[in-house]
Amino acid sequence: MASELDVRARLQRAGQEHLLRFCAELAPGPRAALLAQLELLEPEALREHCRRAAAACARPPAPAPDLAARLRPLPPERVGCASGVAPQTRRLWEEEGFHQIALNKVAVLLLAGGQGTRLGVTYPKGMYQVGLPSQKTLYQLQAERIRRVEQLAGERYGTRCTVPWYIMTSEFTLGPTAKFFKEHDFFHLDPNNVVMFEQRMLPAVTFDGRAILEQKDKVAMAPDGNGGLYCALADHQVLEDMERRGVEFVHVYCVDNILVRLADPVFIGFCVLRGADCGAKVVEKASPEEPVGVVCQVDGVPQVVEYSEISPETARLRAPGGGLLYNAGNICNHFFTRDFLQMATREFEPLLKPHVAVKKVPYVDDQGNPVKPLEPNGIKMEKFVFDVLPFAKNFVAFQVLRGEEFSPLKNADSAERDNPSTARRALLSQHHRWALQAGAHFLDAHGARLPEQPSPPGSGEPPAICEISPLVSYSGEGLDTWAS
């Protein structure tokens, strides 16, 4: 381990010597821990990170003055749709997806580096229960969907197949996630097919470009965003592991979507048959003001434009059919070929520009007292997984129904939307619709038959509480034998 003198010299080169201001009063153990943490911070990279964070934060977020002229919707030939398509076309996509799964060429990759802070919990979001009758967590629902899609593909092709599950965690979530999976016997998946790895951490920075000391013996660090995936793939030889397994196609998604369809055969098949190297699922924006990024083209190149970067006038533009012109809402649900991910890690990652996230970062004041700020006081620099879209040679988008595939869990129940209640209702309403479509009927407490009109997505609690295990049905299939 480097000496305090060596670390101090490195911090002087980075302009961050203040991180050692309490070093002299620390006991040997905490002092060694602080020096070990600081030794990992390369001086030039630290100086540039702090400089870029302060400079980026000083620029107020606003639409680029010429963006509207450069913006275009995705061309129709680049967009598929899960609904409204001819049944034989959808079956063709689905069959291709199942075929690739049966050949062991498909993996899923979960982005799970964030904590459940906005939910009001201290553990990883995947461990959260939204209050389903089964009390299943997000992790369990996802594991069971993997098992079911493996079963469906295997039955179609008379083979045993595996969909490896790669889980990108962070320093905050790796330990609890690994422990949780072990305690639950990996939800009956083969542990050898569940691969966890960590993304990198970056120091949080004050508005004037100083790395933040969270405790006297600890720098405030934060995950480098879900776009940290590309460095993490290289750091942990994940792509080499995929190659050994024969994986060619990867479905990447975020942990917080309770309706996510892992290794969705329809999406996989659509992308493969289109020869795509990169794809994104999208949902129609609920309104011009909805705070989601838009998948579109800028200067003819596909990318996600954040809602804060689009002027209200542009967001309200209408297409000839009456819908929003820029209606492809990004839901962080992607298809990549392994070859494309290899290019991203080797060539594209250094070209990605970090995004600014202004946060409330706990710190110690000049007297060493811990402070939990009431207002944002620091900057966390993040990269986003979709930042690589402009580098795709053949990008496609796939529009799905929000009520069937997207209900994120981001906030506590005190918030109006994207909370445990809305996530629970979304899943139970979906399962109620599936049951009715399969011919089921429901009775009230007095034996009277309940109305059989499915409740529209987002309309509140379904008329009857019906939860269907993913082990029974992945997307509503096979329920006619259960309905009564």
Side-chain angles (χ1 to χ4, degrees), residues 399-423:
Q399 189 173 75
V400 297
L401 295 175
R402 184 185 296 253
E404 289 296 328
E405 298 204 34
F406 184 59
S407 182
L409 176 63
K410 296 185 179 298
N411 307 307
D413 263 326
S414 55
E416 291 185 6
R417 54 191 296 251
D418 300 342
N419 59 46
S421 293
T422 59

Side-chain angles (χ1 to χ4, degrees), residues 47 60 74 106 109 130 139 149 153 195 254 260-261 268 318 361-362 366-367 394 428 472:
R47 182 179 66 244
L74 291 173
V106 177
L109 196 156
V130 300
Y139 281 148
V149 83
V195 180
C254 276
V260 65
R261 296 184 180 180
I268 298 293
R318 296 284 171 174
V361 182
D366 289 337
Q367 286 71 48
N394 188 5
L428 294 178
V472 171

Side-chain angles (χ1 to χ4, degrees), residues 13 19 63 83 91 100 118 122 153 188 230 244 315 322 341-342 398 409 426 456 462 475:
R13 284 160 52 198
L19 295 173
S83 61
R91 283 196 297 270
Q100 298 299 337
R118 285 165 61 184
T122 58
H188 302 289
Y230 307 108
R244 285 193 296 272
L341 289 175
Q342 286 176 331
F398 192 66
L409 176 63
S475 58

